[in-house]
Amino acid sequence: MRFSSAVLAAGLAPLALAHPLEKRQNALPTAKSVADENVLQLANYLENLEFALYSGGYEKFTDAQYTAAGFPAGFRENVGVIAQHEATHAATLGTILTDSGYKAVPPCTYNFPYTDPVSFVDLANMITSVGIGAYLGGASQITDNPTLETASGTILTVEARHDAYLRAGVGGSPFPTAFDTALTSVFAYNLAQMFIVKCPMQLPITILPKLTLAAPAPSPHLTPVAAGTQLTFKYDPSTFFVKVDPKAPLYIAFINQVTNTTFVQTKSCGTGCANVALPAGLGSAVFAVLTTFSGGLNEDQVTQFGTLAGPAEIIAS
C-alpha cells in the first residue's frame, strides 16, 4: 500500500457514489443552528489536524522502521488506513457545513514534534484523546439535532478504535479507563494550538494563556505518569486575562473522566512556575488548568471563568 496525501483525499470520491442499481437517499445530516455550526467547525478543524498527523506517520516512516521499533506486522499499513478515515471524516464534515450554508474549515500548516515511530504513536494518542474529548463535549451542544448527534457519534466510535489500536501497538493498554474525558470546545481548541503554525481560518474560540508541562518529560511507549509524581508547570502571568495577587494561592484543576475535576494547591518554583503532585485516582488522558479556585467548579465553569492558563495534557495510564 503506497499513497500520498493527495491520493488519500482523491480516493474518497467513490465513497459518495451509490451503486447504479441502487436508490439511496443522501443520509448526511444538516446543520440547523449556530450551535451545530460551532460543533461541526471544531470537529472539521481537528479532523484536518489528525489527517495531517496520520498521513505524516505513514509517509515519513517505512515498514522496516515500524518493525524495528517493535510494532507488529502491518502497523504502518493501518496508520495509512487511519489517515484515510480522517480524510473521510474531514471531507464529510466539510460537506455537511457547506451544504448547510456554513463555511468548511480549510487545513492549517502544522508542526508535529515526533522523530520516530514510537514518538509518533505517543503523540497520536495524545492528539486523538483531544479529538475524542471534543466529540464527547460537543454532543451536549447538538441534542436538538438528533440526526447530527448520531452522525457525530459514528465518528467518535471510530476515533476510539483508532486510539485503542495505537495504544496496543506501542505496548499500552487499549482501554486504560472505564470512561473517557469530555472536553469543552475552548479546551479542545487550545490543546490543538501547540501544533499549529498558521491557519487560513481561525475559529471564533478564545485562545487562553498557555500552560506547559515542563517536567517530567513524556516517557516513550505511553509510560504513564504515576500518582504522586511532582509535576512542574510553566506559564506567563503577564498573559492572564485577570489581575492576580502574586501572593494568592494557585491551584491546578485536573479534569479527568466523568465529572471528575480535582483541585490541588501548587507550590511556587519561581515566577511563572508551579509544582504540584499528580493526585491518585486519575487515568488515561488528564487535562490540567491553572486557576485561583480551590474547588467547587465543574469543567464548564472552569472553562467559562476559572482558567488562568491551560490546559496541558498528561498521560496517567
Side-chain angles (χ1 to χ4, degrees):
M1 181 176 180
R2 174 64 185 166
F3 46 77
S4 66
S5 300
V7 173
L8 276 170
L12 299 175
L15 299 176
L17 300 177
H19 189 280
L21 298 181
E22 295 177 349
K23 291 184 178 180
R24 183 177 301 175
Q25 183 179 357
N26 183 358
L28 288 181
T30 57
K32 301 177 180 179
S33 67
V34 173
D36 293 350
E37 176 193 17
N38 291 340
V39 169
L40 287 171
Q41 285 188 334
L42 176 60
N44 199 178
Y45 186 90
L46 295 174
E47 293 292 354
N48 287 336
L49 184 149
E50 290 187 1
F51 171 60
L53 171 71
Y54 285 108
S55 58
Y58 176 83
E59 293 170 351
K60 292 181 180 179
F61 305 115
T62 64
D63 291 321
Q65 286 175 298
Y66 275 104
T67 300
F71 291 93
F75 192 88
R76 175 176 174 267
E77 183 95 356
N78 283 330
V79 169
V81 173
I82 293 174
Q84 288 181 311
H85 288 175
E86 305 301 0
T88 303
H89 294 165
T92 302
L93 291 164
T95 298
I96 294 172
L97 282 162
T98 55
D99 286 355
S100 302
Y102 300 108
K103 289 183 179 180
V105 181
C108 303
T109 302
Y110 308 100
N111 179 36
F112 298 112
Y114 60 79
T115 56
D116 53 59
V118 171
S119 60
F120 158 71
V121 173
D122 286 348
L123 180 64
N125 168 248
M126 296 184 73
I127 291 177
T128 303
S129 295
V130 173
I132 290 170
Y135 277 108
L136 287 170
S140 64
Q141 307 301 312
I142 54 176
T143 54
D144 61 345
N145 190 341
T147 305
L148 183 59
E149 186 179 17
T150 299
S152 174
T154 65
I155 296 177
L156 169 61
T157 53
V158 174
E159 295 288 344
R161 291 192 196 100
H162 293 167
D163 193 47
Y165 179 76
L166 292 168
R167 290 184 61 90
V170 82
S173 170
F175 32 73
T177 54
F179 304 99
D180 284 316
T181 301
L183 287 170
T184 63
S185 59
V186 172
F187 283 168
Y189 189 63
N190 276 268
L191 285 159
Q193 296 312 301
M194 67 181 76
F195 310 110
I196 305 299
V197 177
K198 60 181 179 179
C199 281
M201 174 181 172
Q202 288 290 354
L203 303 186
I205 298 176
T206 302
I207 301 293
L208 299 169
K210 187 176 180 179
L211 181 69
T212 302
L213 178 65
S219 299
H221 298 279
L222 292 178
T223 303
V225 179
T229 299
Q230 287 294 312
L231 309 177
T232 299
F233 292 97
K234 294 292 183 70
Y235 54 91
D236 181 355
S238 70
T239 62
F240 292 168
F241 294 162
V242 296
K243 187 174 181 179
V244 177
D245 184 341
K247 296 181 181 179
L250 298 179
Y251 301 82
I252 292 291
F254 293 97
I255 299 164
N256 186 236
Q257 301 183 64
V258 179
T259 63
N260 183 1
T261 305
T262 304
F263 294 78
V264 181
Q265 186 170 348
T266 67
K267 293 182 179 179
S268 175
C269 46
T271 301
C273 181
N275 288 331
V276 66
L278 183 68
L282 307 183
S284 191
V286 180
F287 303 96
V289 298
L290 186 71
T291 181
T292 56
F293 288 86
S294 61
L297 303 182
N298 60 30
E299 183 184 350
D300 284 337
Q301 293 167 328
V302 173
T303 302
Q304 292 168 17
F305 57 82
T307 299
L308 292 177
E313 186 175 0
I314 306 144
I315 299 300
S317 65

